[in-house]
Amino acid sequence: MAGSRRRGLQARVRPLFCALLLSLSRFVGGDGVGGDPAAGLPHRRFEYKYSFKGPHLVQSDGTVPFWAHAGNAIPSSDQIRVAPSLKSQRGSVWTKAKAAFENWEVEVTFRVTGRGRIGADGLAIWYTENQGLEGPVFGSADLWNGVGIFFDSFDNDGKKNNPAIVIIGNNGQIHYDHQNDGASQALASCQRDFRNKPYPVRAKIIYYQKTLTVMINNGFTPDKNDYEFCAKVENMIIPVQGHFGISAATGGLADDHDVLSFLTFQLTEPGKEPPTPDKEISEKEKEKYQEEFEHFQQELDKKKEEFQKGHPDLQGQPAEEIFESVGDRELRQVFEGQNRIHLEIKQLNRQLDMILDEQRRYVSSLTEEISKRGAGMPGQHGQISQQELDTVVKTQHEILRQVNEMNCQMKSRNAQNYHHFHHVCLRSTSLYLLWCKLYYSLVISCIGLSKKQLPKNSFDYHFHVYIIYLCTKCCCFEGI
């Protein structure tokens, strides 16, 4: 009977589960492209003339192939810093040629980093009829004809809804409402914090069957395909031909806006003829490129010889050992971070030693005073009773024991596993909890004594002041 009930429940659950999978496939299937799942996935074709990606991103003259940069944008071998972390900077990068794709998809990988808790102004990804090389809208021109996806860092309207990702379309006749963050012009939006993430943030923007969809990888994991839905605009009309671009700007606050890659794909609906591949280059162009390659190779060999003459102590070493690789740099940064943690633990250990000494002196003075009073002497008016003193002494002995235990843990952990960053973090957490217990005990003592009306210049008064001092010191303890 129980088995038949289970089978009946499974029979009811399976159709619901299948329906859920089908509904999710509209967003997950086909790289986030909308449409009827039964019709199949669109054909994707990578368009290298509308894309860039490191390494070796720039040419020898500082330009990016097939792209034009303007303003304060700084291309390098592995990324383009569209706007540096200086006040009032603007920069942009645009495709030189117009794209004429009916359906398309772009994947943009970027970092927005800054020292402050709040950054400005933000970054924008564009598809417009004309290039907006410079202007007031996130480093690009206003009155654009097309669509912009804005990664807005700063809360201009004070509604506490930033950082945000906003889709705004324009027909070339509307000024962007910067003071209100384009709230009245937004076609769709979502709130996502894209600043100071451990991994690069990825944005996937899909225009398919007149529907614009934005997917976001928030940069919390190294998984490149960990996208989540952000916003969607249906029945969106954009120019038949347009330029792809990315721009950024800073204001009174400033972030670094770095773009690591911009990959463009042309999408073809199922059943339609895929675009024909580009014809092969002619023999004349092949010879020209081969001559350029040989010329660059000769220049490289000449530079190597000049470098070796100027640095005879490095002769015989492989070039890979002279320069720091990406892996070596990351390893060096890890060790530098561990060294800083090591120094912080040593400083914490010294402060614990100081508190331990003060606590020992205090307990010693308190015990001596109790022995002077004697066990049978009644307490005077306004003084703490013997029972309360015994309770406080017992509490202080417990505090002394905990501080001693914490100090031993600090010394042992400072000596062991110095090169294991993860274990240090876990032990620091348990140490913090132990310190919280100590602090709590001191606060309880303060609350109990603060209710007493104590005469000045008495031992009880000084004892009360000392407890308050310890509580204050705990409140201001570095790292808590």
Side-chain angles (χ1 to χ4, degrees), residues 23-231:
S23 63
L24 288 176
S25 67
R26 290 182 61 86
F27 300 104
V28 179
D31 295 319
V33 177
D36 186 3
L41 304 178
H43 176 269
R44 297 169 84 236
R45 172 185 163 177
F46 177 64
E47 299 291 342
Y48 70 93
K49 291 184 179 180
Y50 305 93
S51 307
F52 63 80
K53 183 181 180 180
H56 314 300
L57 195 150
V58 297
Q59 295 176 316
S60 57
D61 59 355
T63 60
V64 181
F66 309 110
W67 291 74
H69 65 275
N72 302 114
I74 307 170
S76 62
S77 61
D78 55 352
Q79 67 181 25
I80 299 178
R81 177 154 290 178
V82 186
S85 55
L86 300 171
K87 291 183 179 181
S88 304
Q89 301 289 293
R90 296 175 180 177
S92 66
V93 190
W94 292 84
T95 57
K96 293 181 179 178
K98 284 187 175 183
F101 309 144
E102 184 179 358
N103 304 295
W104 47 264
E105 173 187 325
V106 296
E107 296 178 4
V108 185
T109 306
F110 63 91
R111 288 183 183 272
V112 179
T113 54
R115 292 186 176 183
R117 185 178 60 85
I118 302 173
D121 275 328
L123 177 142
I125 301 171
W126 302 91
Y127 177 81
T128 59
E129 188 176 19
N130 299 307
Q131 294 175 332
L133 294 176
E134 288 189 63
V137 184
F138 297 96
S140 183
D142 202 351
L143 301 175
W144 70 92
N145 183 15
V147 62
I149 297 90
F150 300 160
F151 294 78
D152 194 347
S153 305
F154 190 73
D155 189 11
N156 288 287
D157 57 5
K159 294 183 178 180
K160 302 185 184 302
N161 55 357
N162 292 79
I165 303 170
V166 186
I167 303 174
I168 296 184
N170 201 333
N171 58 3
Q173 300 177 4
I174 303 172
H175 287 280
Y176 174 63
D177 185 8
H178 191 76
Q179 294 302 318
N180 295 309
D181 293 328
S184 62
Q185 303 165 325
L187 301 176
S189 65
C190 69
Q191 282 188 251
R192 296 289 186 278
D193 188 1
F194 46 82
R195 298 181 65 249
N196 296 325
K197 297 305 176 188
Y199 298 95
V201 177
R202 300 173 185 273
K204 182 183 289 187
I205 302 162
I206 307 144
Y207 183 74
Y208 185 71
Q209 295 177 345
K210 292 184 171 53
T211 299
L212 187 75
T213 307
V214 178
M215 311 285 288
I216 294 296
N217 182 329
N218 56 21
F220 280 116
T221 66
D223 185 2
K224 298 180 180 180
N225 298 315
D226 186 18
Y227 284 98
E228 60 182 25
F229 176 77
C230 171

